[in-house]
Amino acid sequence: MTYLAKPKFHHPALPKNALGYTHRDYEGAVSTLCAGCGHDSITGAIIQACFELSIEPHRVAKISGIGCSSKTPTYFLGNSHGFNSVHGRMPSVLTGANLANRDLIYLGVSGDGDSASIGLGQFAHCLRRGVNMVYVVENNGVYGLTKGQFSATADRGSKSKRGVINTDNSIDLVAMALQLGASFVARSFSGDKQQLVPIITAAIAHKGAAFIDVISPCVAFNNHAGSTKSFDFVREHNESVNRLDFISSRMPIEVKYEPGTIEVVEQHDGSKLALRKLAADYDIHDRTAALGFLQHHAAKGQIVTGLLYVEDEAEDLHGHLRTVDAPLNALSEKELCPGQAMLDNFNASLR
Amino acid sequence: MPTANPISSVNDFVVRFANVNGSGSASANEMFARAVMRMGIPVAPRNIFPSNIQGLPTWYEVRVSEAGHLGARGGTDLMVAMNPQTFDKDIAGIEPGGYLLYDSTKPLPASKFRPDITVIGIPLTAICNREYTDPRQRQLFKNIIYIGALTALLDMDAKVVEQLIGEQYKGKDKLIEPNVKALHIGRDYAILNLQCPIGLRLKKADKVGDRIFIEGNSAAALGAVYGGATVCAWYPITPSSSLADAFTRHCAKLRVDPETKKAKYAIIQAEDELASIGMVIGAGWNGARAFTATSGPGISLMQEFIGLAYFAEIPAVLFDVQRAGPSTGMPTRTQQCDILSCAYASHGDTKHVLLFPEDPAEAFDFGALAFDLADRLQTPIFVMLDLDIGMNHRLCRPLAWDDFKKYDRGKVMTAEELEAGKDFGRYLDVDGDGIPYRTYPGTHPSKGSFFTRGTSRDQYAKYTEEGGAYVDNMQRLLRKFDTAKDLVPRPLQANAGKLTKYGVIYFGSTAPAMDEAIHMIEARGHTLDRLRVRAFPFHSSVNSFVAGHDFVFVIEQNRDAQLRSLIVNECGIDPVRLVPILHYDGTPITARFIAKAIGDHLDKLKVKPMKVVS
Ligand SMILES: Cc1ncc(C[n+]2csc(CCOP(=O)(O)OP(=O)(O)O)c2C)c(N)n1
Ligand code: SF4
Ligand SMILES: [Mg+2]
């Protein structure tokens, strides 16, 4: 965590996007998370994705639950409205917000405790409904904010920092999202911006329920030997299906590989990543195959990452409900109130 | 000849139909009630139904009252006993001198009846078996046949019922003729075989006027349409489901764009009440008018979110159609038992605005008003209905709307104001009324955005755990609640003709019973001033009303005197000054109950009744 306030002035040399905004315009307050927390890398990826997409920063609504992960919306898009709601209930708040104004971009940020434990129900139902949103789970396998208890995504057999072995089966949110009908499903790793930024970019561009599970090691409580969500474990077991064409030049850790190849990359901390890419003919349009693929690799102890499924022409919740094109929150008395004349008819029918 | 004098009454009696749930009796019985209304006689029907789809006992009570008393009365003058399961109990409930209409197909021993009532047998099953072959028809037409018999027994004009049949089956015209035929089978049987009319008679009157006949839930839902609600999120629960259903129906008629056929509303049947209130809060945060409809168990589930909306100051409207608790309690019986759980919903220090409509007309008014209040006060507003108002047809004044009225969207800072450099602090009390300005998400590229959270923050919405800032904010919320006192509907006072030391406070669905009871209490020689409380926080007139009397009865339909506790707590009133009168067995409170409880109390205090001049 850094204690220096970010300078507000804009350096004239900062690159600008199509709308003339710099990277700075997409930043938020200074993070108060632990130094090295995976969540901060995801924040960085979100900022990068929004910058690259040239989104108007204030046209995004950031909504989260409770947890370290759910705090992160304060750290990006400082000119957007944000809503840090209650634990496990981001999806319902986001759904309601989306119904009120279909014209904004909805970015839901949650944790694995927030989505897979207390909020599993809402996670499931907002995906079923096809809410047009990007739903990011910053998945560290623990409750960071309450100091390291297992969450429901912790793998069976993994070891907590205190040495406790998890005996419960884990929930794979990606498999569930596929089953629940999410129209964009991906998994990535906070330490892999090369993969993550393009996935977020593609998810924002997607119209429908986009779900991204981002493995995000908790350096305070889940980055030790025996944890299956640690940096090392994930790097070693990452089974990437693909990579989208979206390479940014200013990444601190550069991980580059080609589809269908194995590449070993040495990090600046000296650790090695062994990343194998699936052949480029992985079919991102086959929901059933995606599920099989996931399970097949999970059985081998591999964590599949990449864009696993996308439905190009998905209909979103507003489509299901056939709501008007104008945002509901912009309708006035004239459009909403039927007036006394209609009431007279109604009264007459009740006598 | 019965041992008690048969009751003789014109336009003032209670008919009770005892049926089996799912036997198709409801629409026939309702038609009877409507026919009474069409004859110009005030009528108050009540459905007493089980938590069951088919097979359990159900009753439909029709109170006929030319004097216009619409509260439940208690007792039955004419029992239409169509359910063998409850036959004995039904007979026991008949007033001395009352009447029993039963299916005499199978002869019953005299011991099954009472000597003090008039027993009227019609071999309904035998008639149906003779007239119809289809078992479904036998069942359905049996209901119409007994209505036909009632038209003769009560001296009604059969034409009124015929016309109602015509209206009910408009568009399915094939059904009109057989129904009219069944009506006349019953009517003719009675005329030929029974002594018609009996002592109870219906005579055309002109006491209904322009009043309408509507269920509170439907009226409240229409209030939501008129009030500009665009988002409804709900989870099914009796007795509130019909409110969401009605909203869906009203919207399909009133809120579809005629050209594009697209909806100017969004209705979500959520996965549970946590999700429904979450959606309402999300929509309210984003500038839409949103509501949920629920009952006690749903309110319990929503607690955490309600606290968030209170603290983060987000408009939300909740219709709580109360039923008997605790837990699943008596899910199809009425009570006013969520007063405290709504007034103080959620953990920490919270207080919420409650509205108490007395009938469907007020449910419409308050249903619309709730959205203005929610936007103005930026907080959850509870519309406290109950099963008695919500699920029964009630005669009430016609619904009215002022076409010049503009919605009060409250303090919302616009892009222009922000651009002009107006200072925006989300939790800044600029006007001294405790209400800050808000902005809708997406308003301005660089100004007016803020972070909404349930954690403590300063006036500019920055996170803080500084005690002073927290206390300031909590105090401002109290100021805001104080502001609410003058925005919510005021209590209505009705003074006794003469000076009295005693008063009575009541609210919601108790109103018609109280209005009737006052005459009975006066007949016992006591006088009372009345105050009908219509909202919480309490207007200062509640304090002065209590202060102006030696003591005040507080009438409620719950066990723990919840409104009384709220008055004691919020108005700082000595509890001994407030005498609880409590009715909570799940049936609607009656005038008889109120008059007896208050009359006995005043008698016991040796209050000398003033001389009754006969
Ligand atoms: C109703 C409720 N129960 C418990 C908590 C305490 N709590 C806060 S955050 C949290 C877990 C967060 O875990 P996760 O979503 O994985 O976020 P992380 O901190 O790991 O990013 C819990 C249990 C709460 N805020 N609300
Ligand atoms: S506790 Fe874990 S999840 Fe929370 S900020 Fe620290 S590293 Fe991140
Ligand atoms: Mg976590």
Side-chain angles (χ1 to χ4, degrees):
Chain A
M1 150 170 185
T2 116
Y3 291 90
L4 290 175
K6 282 182 200 168
K8 268 288 163 212
F9 65 88
H10 287 182
H11 199 279
L14 285 179
K16 291 185 171 158
N17 63 16
L19 287 181
Y21 289 111
T22 68
H23 197 270
R24 271 290 144 75
D25 295 314
Y26 295 89
E27 290 175 356
V30 176
S31 170
T32 57
L33 302 183
C34 306
C37 173
H39 299 350
D40 278 339
S41 309
I42 302 171
T43 295
I46 291 171
I47 291 171
Q48 184 65 23
C50 291
F51 169 76
E52 287 177 8
L53 267 180
S54 292
I55 286 170
E56 285 195 281
H58 71 297
R59 301 301 290 172
V60 178
K62 314 168 287 183
I63 304 177
S64 62
I66 298 287
C68 296
S69 36
S70 292
K71 284 183 176 188
T72 62
T74 339
Y75 315 140
F76 57 83
L77 300 181
N79 283 321
S80 298
H81 278 63
F83 194 164
N84 198 188
S85 65
V86 288
H87 195 19
R89 319 294 172 206
M90 173 278 283
S92 63
V93 176
L94 190 151
T95 302
N98 181 298
L99 291 174
N101 183 359
R102 61 190 302 170
D103 285 353
L104 300 183
I105 293 164
Y106 292 90
L107 180 52
V109 176
S110 179
D112 44 310
D114 205 56
S115 279
S117 300
I118 192 168
L120 190 62
Q122 296 212 343
F123 158 81
H125 291 280
C126 77
L127 294 181
R128 287 176 57 220
R129 290 193 183 99
V131 181
N132 185 14
M133 62 178 171
V134 179
Y135 187 141
V136 177
V137 167
E138 306 190 345
N139 183 358
N140 53 17
V142 289
Y143 294 173
L145 195 58
T146 53
K147 300 192 186 296
Q149 301 85 353
F150 282 122
S151 83
T153 64
D155 289 306
R156 190 174 195 165
S158 66
K159 200 159 145 208
S160 80
K161 200 174 176 184
R162 291 182 206 154
V164 181
I165 303 285
N166 177 37
T167 54
D168 297 346
N169 284 317
S170 72
I171 289 173
D172 181 356
L173 291 174
V174 166
M176 286 192 74
L178 283 168
Q179 233 162 17
L180 290 162
S183 46
F184 179 109
V185 182
R187 173 149 44 215
S188 190
F189 174 42
S190 63
D192 185 358
K193 276 203 179 171
Q194 301 273 346
Q195 185 190 50
L196 181 54
V197 174
I199 284 179
I200 295 173
T201 312
I204 294 175
H206 176 75
K207 184 172 170 255
F211 176 73
I212 313 171
D213 180 40
V214 189
I215 313 251
S216 174
C218 168
V219 292
F221 301 109
N222 213 7
N223 198 31
H224 46 270
S227 154
T228 57
K229 297 277 191 289
S230 67
F231 277 104
D232 290 346
F233 186 91
V234 178
R235 279 170 191 148
E236 278 156 24
H237 295 78
N238 189 343
E239 181 72 21
S240 231
V241 292
N242 52 29
R243 180 167 67 84
L244 305 176
D245 279 342
F246 225 117
I247 300 164
S248 170
S249 54
R250 282 171 285 106
M251 292 291 142
I253 297 168
E254 299 240 325
V255 186
K256 274 193 177 179
Y257 38 67
E258 294 307 317
T261 61
I262 298 174
E263 193 171 356
V264 180
V265 184
E266 199 167 295
Q267 306 297 311
H268 33 228
D269 64 356
S271 67
K272 289 193 175 76
L273 303 182
L275 296 159
R276 191 164 75 80
K277 298 297 290 183
L278 189 88
D281 60 358
Y282 175 86
D283 183 2
I284 55 169
H285 295 107
D286 189 337
R287 195 185 284 277
T288 322
L291 263 170
F293 186 84
L294 260 185
Q295 273 162 2
H296 175 74
H297 287 268
K300 293 198 286 187
Q302 292 167 333
I303 305 160
V304 177
T305 62
L307 175 57
L308 293 164
Y309 175 73
V310 66
E311 185 183 329
D312 298 329
E313 300 292 319
E315 187 187 64
D316 80 331
L317 180 58
H318 280 282
H320 304 331
L321 296 173
R322 290 189 53 75
T323 48
V324 286
D325 298 341
L328 292 177
N329 72 352
L331 303 178
S332 67
E333 290 89 351
K334 211 168 93 8
E335 286 125 333
L336 297 177
C337 184
Q340 182 62 41
M342 285 306 281
L343 215 44
D344 288 338
N345 294 342
F346 188 69
N347 284 327
S349 73
L350 300 170
R351 291 187 175 118
Chain B
M1 207 47 199
T3 55
N5 273 342
I7 299 170
S8 176
S9 177
V10 179
N11 292 354
D12 182 14
F13 51 86
V14 173
V15 183
R16 201 171 159 95
F17 300 87
N19 301 95
V20 177
N21 206 18
S23 65
S25 57
S27 65
N29 298 344
E30 191 185 310
M31 202 180 293
F32 172 75
R34 277 181 191 280
V36 176
M37 175 186 69
R38 286 285 176 90
M39 290 176 72
I41 310 162
V43 63
R46 284 184 169 76
N47 240 314
I48 299 122
F49 60 99
S51 182
N52 161 269
I53 302 303
Q54 195 176 39
L56 286 186
T58 163
W59 293 270
Y60 190 76
E61 183 185 285
V62 180
R63 180 172 189 192
V64 178
S65 169
E66 186 168 342
H69 300 312
L70 302 179
R73 188 202 71 179
T76 300
D77 301 312
L78 167 58
M79 173 63 76
V80 182
M82 294 297 140
N83 185 357
Q85 295 168 69
T86 57
F87 195 78
D88 294 342
K89 203 176 138 226
D90 289 337
I91 287 183
I94 300 172
E95 297 279 298
Y99 303 82
L100 166 73
L101 175 66
Y102 80 110
D103 181 353
S104 60
T105 302
K106 268 196 212 132
L108 291 174
S111 62
K112 284 295 250 181
F113 306 113
R114 268 167 47 186
D116 60 339
I117 58 172
T118 303
V119 176
I120 306 159
I122 302 180
L124 287 164
T125 305
I127 296 174
C128 286
N129 289 352
R130 188 187 68 219
E131 298 284 337
Y132 307 99
T133 47
D134 175 7
R136 178 83 193 138
Q137 284 194 343
R138 283 177 175 169
Q139 177 54 54
L140 286 178
F141 286 124
K142 189 174 178 176
N143 304 319
I144 300 294
I145 292 172
Y146 69 64
I147 299 293
L150 285 180
T151 63
L153 291 164
L154 301 174
D155 200 17
M156 292 168 81
D157 185 354
K159 289 248 160 42
V160 177
V161 187
E162 281 177 27
Q163 193 184 339
L164 283 168
I165 290 174
E167 288 171 24
Q168 177 159 342
Y169 296 110
K170 205 169 157 199
K172 300 177 217 159
D173 292 3
K174 287 206 307 283
L175 294 172
I176 297 175
E177 204 264 337
N179 272 286
V180 171
K181 188 179 159 218
L183 185 78
H184 282 281
I185 292 172
R187 185 173 169 86
D188 294 347
Y189 180 91
I191 291 170
L192 277 177
N193 301 286
L194 304 168
Q195 194 175 347
C196 295
I198 56 173
L200 308 176
R201 283 187 301 124
L202 291 167
K203 195 162 156 267
K204 277 210 164 91
D206 57 357
K207 294 288 158 50
V208 171
D210 67 349
R211 278 187 281 182
I212 58 168
F213 196 53
I214 186 174
E215 288 157 316
N217 282 349
S218 174
L222 196 64
V225 174
Y226 274 70
T230 50
V231 175
C232 163
W234 66 293
Y235 187 76
I237 183 169
T238 306
S240 73
S241 301
S242 60
L243 201 161
D245 289 341
F247 185 71
T248 310
R249 264 198 329 274
H250 296 322
C251 281
K253 274 205 201 107
L254 302 170
R255 281 279 194 78
V256 176
D257 187 288
E259 274 155 40
T260 61
K261 305 280 177 255
K262 287 190 177 175
K264 292 183 270 184
Y265 60 94
I267 301 170
I268 303 277
Q269 186 191 310
E271 59 269 32
D272 55 30
E273 285 89 347
L274 283 78
S276 18
I277 189 67
M279 290 176 196
V280 168
I281 288 171
W285 173 76
N286 211 1
R289 295 192 148 185
F291 75 95
T292 187
T294 189
S295 191
I299 295 289
S300 292
L301 277 182
M302 295 176 186
Q303 296 284 315
E304 186 188 17
F305 256 133
I306 293 169
L308 173 74
Y310 173 78
F311 195 55
E313 297 178 77
I314 297 164
V317 173
L318 298 92
F319 290 92
D320 178 5
V321 190
Q322 297 165 92
R323 64 189 218 183
S327 189
T328 309
M330 291 197 284
T332 58
R333 301 289 189 258
T334 196
Q335 267 186 2
Q336 301 172 314
C337 53
D338 300 341
I339 309 301
L340 286 176
S341 70
C342 289
Y344 298 131
S346 207
H347 54 279
D349 294 322
T350 59
K351 290 177 206 254
H352 307 289
V353 176
L354 316 180
L355 307 179
F356 304 115
E358 65 163 348
D359 69 356
E362 253 186 13
F364 171 80
D365 294 344
F366 292 3
L369 172 69
F371 293 93
D372 273 2
L373 288 173
D375 271 348
R376 169 60 39 189
L377 293 163
Q378 300 175 20
T379 201
I381 308 289
F382 292 76
V383 185
M384 306 297 287
L385 293 153
D386 63 24
L387 185 145
D388 190 36
I389 302 175
M391 289 191 71
N392 290 311
H393 280 87
R394 184 69 40 82
L395 215 50
C396 61
R397 66 183 152 79
L399 308 181
W401 187 259
D402 172 7
D403 281 338
F404 294 102
K405 198 190 122 55
K406 287 255 167 257
Y407 293 155
D408 178 6
R409 299 304 320 256
K411 298 187 190 178
V412 181
M413 214 175 267
T414 61
E416 295 71 42
E417 289 169 316
L418 291 165
E419 189 56 42
K422 210 167 167 182
D423 181 29
F424 174 68
R426 172 65 183 104
Y427 299 108
L428 204 56
D429 186 5
V430 276
D431 304 318
D433 56 2
I435 307 171
Y437 273 82
R438 63 178 182 139
T439 53
Y440 297 154
T443 297
H444 190 280
S446 59
K447 297 181 171 118
S449 73
F450 66 95
F451 210 77
T452 303
R453 45 164 66 88
T455 40
S456 182
R457 69 278 147 142
D458 66 11
Q459 295 173 333
Y460 289 87
K462 278 227 167 55
Y463 177 80
T464 177
E465 289 178 20
E466 210 258 302
Y470 169 83
V471 170
D472 276 355
N473 185 58
M474 292 299 279
Q475 286 297 324
R476 181 181 55 75
L477 287 172
L478 275 186
R479 272 202 305 285
K480 183 167 92 166
F481 204 61
D482 234 37
T483 300
K485 286 181 184 167
D486 287 312
L487 297 178
V488 298
R490 302 231 165 148
L492 295 181
Q493 189 163 346
N495 285 346
K498 44 195 142 192
L499 221 57
T500 172
K501 293 191 272 182
Y502 313 111
V504 58
I505 287 178
Y506 61 104
F507 64 101
S509 66
T510 302
M514 184 64 234
D515 294 343
E516 180 183 359
I518 198 74
H519 303 294
M520 301 157 91
I521 294 165
E522 280 168 5
R524 283 175 72 164
H526 304 295
T527 48
L528 285 173
D529 294 332
R530 278 173 287 164
L531 189 76
R532 180 162 71 85
V533 168
R534 299 196 297 165
F536 174 71
F538 302 120
H539 187 255
S540 55
S541 58
V542 174
N543 292 52
S544 44
F545 183 81
V546 178
H549 296 90
D550 282 6
F551 61 80
V552 168
F553 296 98
V554 183
I555 305 181
E556 332 189 23
Q557 303 185 50
N558 59 63
R559 185 193 69 178
D560 291 345
Q562 298 187 21
L563 189 84
R564 177 177 172 271
S565 299
L566 204 57
I567 297 173
V568 166
N569 202 29
E570 296 289 330
C571 304
I573 284 168
D574 181 354
V576 297
R577 313 262 321 274
L578 299 177
V579 181
I581 302 288
L582 306 168
H583 178 94
Y584 59 93
D585 66 2
T587 62
I589 195 166
T590 63
R592 288 178 181 183
F593 173 86
I594 297 172
K596 182 171 185 325
I598 292 183
D600 288 357
H601 191 96
L602 292 176
D603 287 352
K604 237 191 339 227
L605 284 170
K606 299 205 180 60
V607 174
K608 268 208 198 90
M610 298 178 199
K611 252 215 186 94
V612 184
V613 188
S614 59

